Amino acid sequence: MKKGLKVAVAGAGSGHTPGIVLSLLNHDELDIDEIRLYDIEKERNDDMNIIINFLIKKDNYKISIMSTEDPKEAFEDVDFVFSQIRVGGMKMREMDEKIPLKYGLIGQETCGLGGFSYALRSMNGFLDLVEKIHTYAPDCWILNYTNPETIIAESVRRKYPNLKIINACDMTIGIEDMICKSFDYDRKNWIPVYYGLNHFGFYNSIYDKKLNRDVMPEIIEKIKSEGLYVDDEEESWAKTWTRYKNLLEYFPSNLPNNYLEYYLFSEQIVEQSNKDYTRANEIMDGRLKKIKQTVRKIENNKDLNTIDYESSSHGNYIVDICASIINNKNERFMIIVPNKGAIRNFRDDVVVEIPCYINKNGAEPISLRFDIPDFHKGLMEAQVASEKLLVDAFFENSYQKALEAFTLNQTVPNAKLAKEVLDEFIVVNKGYWPELS
Ligand code: G6P
Ligand code: MN
C-alpha cells in the first residue's frame, strides 16, 4: 500500500464533501496523510473546513486538513484531485432548470437544454481547473465527476488527450443499489454489462456470481409488476424512482439509465414539474442549509450529537476507484472513456460509458462482444451528435453550432424554441459562457 497520500477536493464547499472525506478516511486500503479543501468561494470552503475538522476530531483520525482558495497551496504535489466543481453554483442550476420549463421543456441539471447551459459554463471552469492542477501536480490523477460528464469528458479528450483522468459517474451504482434494496440482491456478486453515454445508457446483462445466472430479465419482470421500493428519498428523486417502471413498460428488453426518462417521457415530466420550485430549490433548502446549521452547532458547541454526516455511497464509489488505482487492483467500474471500438457498431470519435478495469495505468475499457441494438444506437447517435456540436460551439465560439446543438437535443421539438431558449441562456450566462457569434 502506498503510504501517506495527499488528496485535494476541488469544489470542496459542496454538501457532498463530508461524505467523501469520511469515505476516504474509513477506507482500509488507503493511507491518507493530507486532505486539502479547495474552492473558489472562501465562505463555503471555510464552513466545510469547520465541519471536516469537527468530524476528524470526533473520531480521532490522524490526518492533516487545510482549506484554501489558492491553487498552488491546494494542488502542489498532490497524488489525487477529486473534482466536483459546479460552475455558477446552485443559483445557476436554478436558472438551468427554470428557463426551459418556462418554454414547456425539460428543466434538468444535466439533461436537455438546462444541461447544455450548464455544460457551456462547466467546460470553461473545468478546463481551467485542469490547467491549474497540471501546473502544480503534473503527475497526479484527477478523479472527475464534474457534470455534465459526457460533455466534460469530450472537451478533455480534445484538449488533453493524454491526461491522467478518470471520468466516473455514480448513477449506475445508484440504480443497482436501488434494485438491490428493492428485491434483496447483493451488488457485490454482480458483473454488470452496461453501455451508453453518461446518464444515457442501458444494461445488457447483470450476471450474479452467486446465483450463477443473468438476473436482468427477472429484475425487469419484478420492476414491471411491483415497481422499485421507494422510501423517504427527497421528493424529486422519489418521483424518478417511482416513474422508472414506465420506461420498462414501454421498452422491456433492457434496464435503462433513469435519466432517459427526460428524453423519452419529456412531456409527462414537464407536466409533473413545479416551475417555481425545482431540484435546485430543494437542495438550497436542504443540503446547503444543513451546512450552515452544522457550522452554527459547532461554533456554539450545541447539539453536537445531532451532527449526522457519514461516509456516503457516492463517496465510497469514487474512493474505491482511487484504491483500485493505488493498489493496482483491476476492479471493474463503469467509466466514461473514448470509444475507440469498444462499442464496435458506434462511432469512434466520442466518449462512452462502459465497464472498465481500473489499475495503476488508469481505465482499461472492456470491449462489448455484441452490436448494440438500433433503437439504443439511434438515440445515442442523436444525443452524442448534439453534445459534440455543443463542444464545437465552445471551442469555436460558434453561435451556429450552439443553435444546431440545441435544436438536435431530443427534448426539443423545433428550432424556433431551441433559439428562444438559447438566446435567453446567453443573457443569464453572461461572464460564464464563452462569447458566441
Ligand atoms: C446522481 C448523478 C449526478 C447528479 C446527482 C444529482 O448522483 O449521477 O451526476 O449530479 O445525481 O443529485 P442532486 O442531489 O444534486 O439532485
Ligand atoms: Mn452522474
Side-chain angles (χ1 to χ4, degrees):
M1 193 193 305
K2 187 170 175 206
K3 293 280 174 208
L5 293 176
K6 297 183 180 62
V7 177
V9 179
S14 154
H16 290 298
T17 302
I20 290 166
V21 168
L22 290 172
S23 295
L24 267 169
L25 296 176
N26 291 334
H27 202 290
D28 48 16
E29 294 168 356
L30 286 176
D31 177 46
I32 316 274
D33 250 11
E34 220 184 304
I35 298 180
R36 303 185 198 167
L37 307 175
Y38 172 73
D39 204 295
I40 54 173
E41 279 186 45
K42 180 164 167 37
E43 189 184 325
R44 283 161 51 98
N45 213 15
D46 288 347
D47 283 350
M48 200 41 72
N49 196 13
I50 291 169
I51 295 176
I52 301 292
N53 269 299
F54 168 81
L55 295 171
I56 281 171
K57 276 209 200 93
K58 184 167 79 101
D59 285 333
N60 232 335
Y61 291 107
K62 302 274 169 289
I63 173 132
S64 120
I65 295 284
M66 62 101 99
S67 70
T68 177
E69 296 74 59
D70 177 52
K72 181 168 190 287
E73 282 180 10
F75 304 131
E76 202 161 52
D77 298 330
V78 292
D79 300 288
F80 286 92
V81 177
F82 289 12
S83 172
Q84 53 179 9
I85 62 168
R86 178 185 289 285
V87 179
M90 277 301 153
K91 276 281 152 209
M92 287 307 292
R93 174 171 178 177
E94 188 182 10
M95 296 290 119
D96 297 341
E97 292 169 348
K98 288 186 177 170
I99 288 174
L101 276 174
K102 246 179 24 189
Y103 294 85
L105 304 179
I106 285 291
Q108 214 279 327
E109 170 205 25
T110 65
C111 296
L113 299 187
F116 277 8
S117 164
Y118 182 19
L120 283 177
R121 292 196 304 278
S122 198
M123 282 187 275
N124 242 340
F126 188 71
L127 295 174
D128 182 54
L129 176 71
V130 167
E131 197 62 52
K132 289 182 175 127
I133 295 171
H134 233 215
T135 308
Y136 301 114
D139 222 30
C140 82
W141 277 103
I142 302 174
L143 300 194
N144 180 43
Y145 36 103
T146 305
N147 268 325
E149 279 217 58
T150 313
I151 298 177
I152 292 293
E154 171 65 12
S155 68
V156 169
R157 182 186 76 87
R158 294 192 197 183
K159 190 155 182 198
Y160 301 102
N162 299 316
L163 192 68
K164 285 171 72 176
I165 188 166
I166 307 283
N167 293 297
C169 162
D170 63 351
M171 199 64 253
T172 52
I173 303 277
I175 294 167
E176 291 163 27
D177 279 345
M178 201 60 202
I179 291 170
C180 289
K181 197 165 72 181
S182 300
F183 307 116
D184 223 10
Y185 292 96
D186 185 351
R187 207 170 65 74
K188 283 198 209 78
N189 302 325
W190 282 4
I191 309 176
V193 176
Y194 174 93
Y195 55 84
L197 313 167
N198 181 238
H199 293 182
F200 203 99
F202 308 86
Y203 285 84
N204 176 69
S205 59
I206 299 178
Y207 191 79
D208 189 309
K209 287 185 279 185
K210 214 153 177 200
L211 301 172
N212 282 323
R213 60 171 186 265
D214 174 9
V215 290
M216 189 177 80
E218 67 198 51
I219 290 169
I220 291 174
E221 284 315 310
K222 286 178 183 160
I223 296 175
K224 274 170 58 190
S225 58
E226 299 164 41
L228 286 167
Y229 171 71
V230 182
D231 55 9
D232 57 351
E233 297 255 3
E234 295 143 298
E235 195 185 334
S236 36
W237 278 104
K239 279 188 186 161
T240 288
W241 295 127
T242 307
R243 285 190 301 245
Y244 189 75
K245 193 171 181 270
N246 303 347
L247 285 161
L248 289 167
E249 267 158 20
Y250 275 65
F251 307 109
S253 57
N254 301 71
L255 286 169
N257 192 297
N258 51 290
Y259 279 97
L260 277 154
E261 67 169 357
Y262 293 109
Y263 298 92
L264 298 172
F265 295 106
S266 41
E267 217 175 296
Q268 291 92 315
I269 293 175
V270 171
E271 272 164 23
Q272 288 179 18
S273 304
N274 181 344
K275 295 179 177 49
D276 303 315
Y277 193 84
T278 57
R279 178 73 189 141
N281 299 109
E282 273 183 15
I283 293 169
M284 287 187 274
D285 290 341
R287 214 150 63 207
L288 298 194
K289 279 211 178 120
K290 180 174 169 182
I291 294 177
K292 284 285 175 203
Q293 285 161 356
T294 307
V295 168
R296 240 173 281 133
K297 285 179 194 167
I298 296 169
E299 284 177 341
N300 300 331
N301 205 8
K302 251 181 96 185
D303 299 329
L304 299 180
N305 57 336
T306 59
I307 298 177
D308 59 354
Y309 285 114
E310 48 188 34
S311 27
S312 58
S313 66
H314 168 72
N316 292 342
Y317 173 54
I318 205 81
V319 169
D320 282 344
I321 292 178
C322 178
S324 198
I325 295 176
I326 277 296
N327 301 322
N328 207 13
K329 286 169 69 183
N330 247 356
E331 275 181 9
R332 244 173 111 126
F333 299 88
M334 303 308 167
I335 306 290
I336 301 152
V337 287
N339 185 27
K340 292 188 178 160
I343 304 178
R344 64 191 183 196
N345 60 335
F346 195 58
R347 58 193 280 188
D348 270 340
D349 59 341
V350 295
V351 293
V352 292
E353 187 169 335
I354 47 174
C356 294
Y357 293 114
I358 297 279
N359 57 38
K360 66 179 173 34
N361 299 316
E364 286 186 11
I366 298 172
S367 298
L368 305 185
R369 281 172 292 190
F370 53 89
D371 286 344
I372 60 171
D374 273 334
F375 177 51
H376 299 168
K377 185 164 171 270
L379 286 166
M380 283 161 56
E381 271 167 355
Q383 176 73 4
V384 85
S386 70
E387 293 185 343
K388 279 173 76 74
L389 282 164
L390 196 81
V391 179
D392 292 346
F394 172 78
F395 282 115
E396 299 166 23
N397 291 71
S398 165
Y399 180 89
Q400 188 58 40
K401 290 276 180 72
L403 179 58
E404 289 169 10
F406 271 56
T407 306
L408 190 53
N409 189 292
Q410 289 167 92
T411 64
V412 179
N414 64 62
K416 184 165 172 287
L417 263 182
K419 186 170 183 335
E420 282 169 9
V421 179
L422 173 61
D423 290 345
E424 185 160 346
F425 269 139
I426 288 178
V427 177
V428 300
N429 278 292
K430 200 165 172 47
Y432 286 117
W433 274 18
E435 296 275 341
L436 302 178
S437 58

